[in-house]
Structure formats: structure tokens, C-alpha cells
Amino acid sequence: MKYTEIAVVGGGPAGLSAAITAAKYGAKVTVIERNNNLGGQLKKQTHKFFGSQNQYASIRGIEIADILESQLKEYNVEVLNGATVLGLYEDGVLTIDKKDKYIKLKPDRIVVATGAYEKFLSFPNNDLPGVYGAGAVQTLMNQYGVKPGKDVLMVGAGNIGLIVSYQLMQAGVNVKAVIDAAPRIGGYLVHASKIRRLGIPILTSYTIKEAHGKDWVEGATICQLDENWQMISGTEIDMDVDTICISVGLSPLADLLWQIGCEMKYIPELGGHVPVRDENLETSKEGIYIAGDVAGIEEASSAMVEGRLAGLCASNSLGYSIKDFEKERRDLLEQLNSLRSGPVGEKILKGLERVSKVIA
């Protein structure tokens, strides 16, 4: 049995930020990451971030990952790479598979920062080679330098769909169109404007009807939707594409929180089932904190601030002396409120109201 004060499950932007903050105040921290490298989604993000200097504005995600990893090395943080958490049990023990080695870890506090998984769509031939999730396309291009195809149909006009479309064009891939079932795009206009300037049409109130091909994608049919989200006969458009990229949202990856018995609620505005939490990001299970997309789908900037907040509060709960704790906590909460301003933020705040519990 291994022991640590704070176990951070997930080495993405939220997890790294939590680990750095907790370790800075003296806590013994162990980060468990299933991949062989740290950084999570930041490793695929070649675009520059918004926000303020506190959230690394104007710095590319891939560079932020390096910054966080270098900060982590400044402190005595144990990192278990290539390690998958198998379970979280009533006695607070985490079981871990690290390259076929079984490890039991007993922490005093846990920060769950497991992120999210991609949603998918059901349509005829959606299992053909050439149908990808947007995250897989980013991994192929931005981590391995592999083009997914030559001609792409992007399904989804949220931030991820728009950003990946731009990255595809930067890599020399032809994006035939971006379609979205909603009557208006869900992503920021700054991202939409960039791809429109490149001549990529964005078709709202459209969906994919089916993919074509025998052994791989050879084409797709899209069609228009009415106000009841039903396909309109006669509006079909056939497209010659060899790749279909699905970017229709994310769902929190909350398996461990379900297993340990955290109180969960289904909140559409946050992406699905999320845990009830207080202002310090502590769940209904004492000593278990959350940060990042597992707490509700947002941008990486918010995930990093949530990570700092969870790390700060977990360390404080262990009795570490943190000068101006309340001031720093309030500053992080204000940063989150600032990031959640605007129409997208209104939706997130509405969802958070339904899962927030009062601090005793």
C-alpha cells in the first residue's frame, strides 16, 4: 500500500494546476495519468488562449502544457504516467494499473480531474473507417503529424469543431463544409470568422443523413432540419469526402465519482451527469474534490482555475498554513466568474446553480 496526502487523478490542465498549487503549499502530491505524457488536451491545442494573463492568454495550449509540466518539476510531486485508476473504494483507496503492475494508493484527499469523453452520432455507416471524433483528429494531426484525409465534412460548429476545422486547413486538408443541427453556431464568432475567411461554408440547421462507402468513407449526404429537428425531404446534398469529423459535444467522465457514491445530477448545461459540489469544489463525499470537465464542460482556461481552487482548498483542509487563504480563494472564484461572462457563461452559471451546495 502506497500513501500520499493528495492524489490527483488526471494530468490534464485541471489536474496539473491542482497538483502544482497543492504542492506549492507543502502537501505531498501524487498525480495519476493514464497517458505516458502529461498535459491532456493541451498537447493538441495549437491555438492561442483567451482570458487574462492569469490564464495564459495569447499562449498556445501546447506551450501551456510545457509551462505547467516545468512548474510541476519545481516541487516534489510524484507522477505515475501510463497508469489507469481502476477503482475508488469506500475506505478511500485508489487501485491503479501501471503497465500491468497493480498498485493500491491511500490518499488523505483526492482531486478528480478525469476530463470528458466525446459524444457521437447515430447515422447509417457511422462505423466506416474515416469517421472520427474531433479529438482523434487533433491527436493525429497535432501530436503525430498525420492527416486524417484529404476532404473533410465537419459535423458540429461549437468551439472544438470550428478550431479543428481551422487546424485542418492549416495542415493542408480541404474542409468541404461545417454543419450544425442548431439554428446558430455554438462556438465563438472569432473562430467562425477565421474559417469563413478561408471560404469554408457553415451550414446551420443541417445534419448528416448518412455516410457512403464500402471499405472506408467515400462520401456523405447532409440534409436540412426543420424547427422540430426533423429532416426535410428534398434538401439532401451529396458531398465527396473521405473523412467525417464528429464534434457534437463532450460528456463528463465521472465513473469514479459514481463508484464512490457522490451525489450526482443530470445538468444538460454542463454536459450530462455531474457531481454536486460546494464553492470549494468539494463533492458530497468529504475529502473528494473535482476540477475541469468532470465538473462540467468548459474551456481549458476555466479548468486550470478550477484546478488551482481545488488544490488550494484540499491543502487548506489538511491544515497547511496558507497566508491569505481566503483572499486567494476569492480571487480564483472571481477569475471563474470573469471567464463565465457572456452568453455561453450564462448557460454554465445556470447549470452550476443546480449543483452547488452551501458551505457549512
Side-chain angles (χ1 to χ4, degrees):
M1 179 81 74
K2 290 171 60 69
Y3 294 91
T4 191
E5 288 187 301
I6 299 177
V8 178
V9 185
L16 291 180
S17 299
I20 291 164
T21 303
K24 179 174 71 174
Y25 291 115
K28 180 183 178 183
V29 181
T30 300
V31 176
I32 307 115
E33 167 56 46
R34 66 181 180 182
N35 293 320
N36 290 322
N37 55 5
L38 298 173
Q41 297 301 311
L42 292 173
K43 288 290 187 180
K44 328 177 179 180
Q45 295 176 345
T46 58
H47 59 282
K48 293 182 179 180
F49 274 41
F50 299 132
S52 67
Q53 187 176 1
N54 288 325
Q55 294 99 43
Y56 305 100
S58 299
I59 301 177
R60 300 185 189 278
I62 51 175
E63 297 169 336
I64 297 172
D66 293 336
I67 292 171
L68 293 178
E69 191 166 358
S70 67
Q71 291 177 355
L72 195 71
K73 291 177 180 177
E74 294 178 13
Y75 304 100
N76 188 27
V77 175
E78 179 184 28
V79 177
L80 301 179
N81 278 330
T84 301
V85 174
L86 302 175
L88 171 55
Y89 298 94
E90 293 177 355
D91 56 1
V93 171
L94 289 163
T95 56
I96 303 164
D97 175 27
K98 179 174 170 58
K99 298 177 181 177
D100 296 326
K101 182 180 179 181
Y102 187 73
I103 300 171
K104 295 173 73 175
L105 178 67
K106 181 65 173 72
D108 294 318
R109 302 288 186 273
I110 299 172
V111 178
V112 177
T114 44
Y117 63 91
E118 290 187 286
K119 296 179 181 177
F120 212 64
L121 285 178
S122 295
F123 54 87
N125 295 321
N126 70 348
D127 58 347
L128 282 172
V131 180
Y132 293 91
V137 167
Q138 277 192 311
T139 300
L140 280 173
M141 289 195 307
N142 300 344
Q143 289 191 259
Y144 299 108
V146 176
K147 294 181 183 179
K150 295 180 180 179
D151 298 294
V152 175
L153 168 65
M154 177 64 69
V155 182
N159 280 329
I160 295 176
L162 297 173
I163 289 169
V164 175
S165 295
Y166 186 71
Q167 292 173 350
L168 282 162
M169 294 294 286
Q170 286 180 307
V173 178
N174 180 29
V175 179
K176 288 289 191 76
V178 178
I179 65 172
D180 199 293
R184 60 183 60 86
I185 66 170
Y188 296 136
L189 291 178
V190 64
H191 296 314
S193 298
K194 287 195 297 186
I195 65 171
R196 287 298 299 271
R197 285 196 295 268
L198 293 172
I200 303 172
I202 301 176
L203 306 177
T204 54
S205 294
Y206 268 84
T207 190
I208 182 167
K209 185 175 182 179
E210 62 180 312
H212 305 290
K214 182 180 179 182
D215 298 316
W216 53 79
V217 171
E218 297 175 12
T221 298
I222 63 173
C223 70
Q224 197 169 4
L225 298 174
D226 62 22
E227 62 274 10
N228 296 315
W229 304 83
Q230 300 300 308
M231 296 183 186
I232 302 173
S233 179
T235 63
E236 291 86 356
I237 301 173
D238 292 328
M239 306 187 73
D240 291 325
V241 295
D242 58 14
T243 306
I244 298 168
C245 184
I246 309 296
S247 179
V248 292
L250 303 168
S251 292
L253 189 59
D255 303 54
L256 292 176
L257 300 172
W258 281 106
Q259 183 185 10
I260 195 60
C262 291
E263 182 183 353
M264 307 290 286
K265 286 188 178 180
Y266 181 75
I267 310 294
E269 295 89 346
L270 300 180
H273 282 96
V274 293
V276 171
R277 81 297 303 268
D278 65 17
E279 199 175 40
N280 293 339
L281 297 176
E282 188 174 19
T283 68
S284 60
K285 289 290 184 178
E286 185 178 355
I288 298 179
Y289 297 78
I290 53 172
D293 281 347
V294 73
I297 306 303
E298 294 191 67
E299 299 295 315
S301 299
S302 298
M304 288 186 285
V305 179
E306 284 190 336
R308 293 178 201 138
L309 179 60
L312 174 74
C313 294
S315 296
N316 182 69
S317 72
L318 289 171
Y320 283 96
S321 178
I322 301 175
K323 185 180 179 181
D324 297 327
F325 164 75
E326 189 58 33
K327 179 181 178 182
E328 185 166 351
R329 189 179 77 92
R330 286 293 170 192
D331 176 65
L332 292 169
L333 290 171
E334 287 172 9
Q335 288 184 46
L336 286 171
N337 285 331
S338 176
L339 288 168
R340 290 163 180 162
S341 61
V344 176
E346 288 178 10
K347 181 186 78 170
I348 293 167
L349 290 171
K350 181 181 176 182
L352 289 173
E353 288 176 1
R354 295 166 58 193
V355 289
S356 297
K357 65 186 181 76
V358 178
I359 298 176

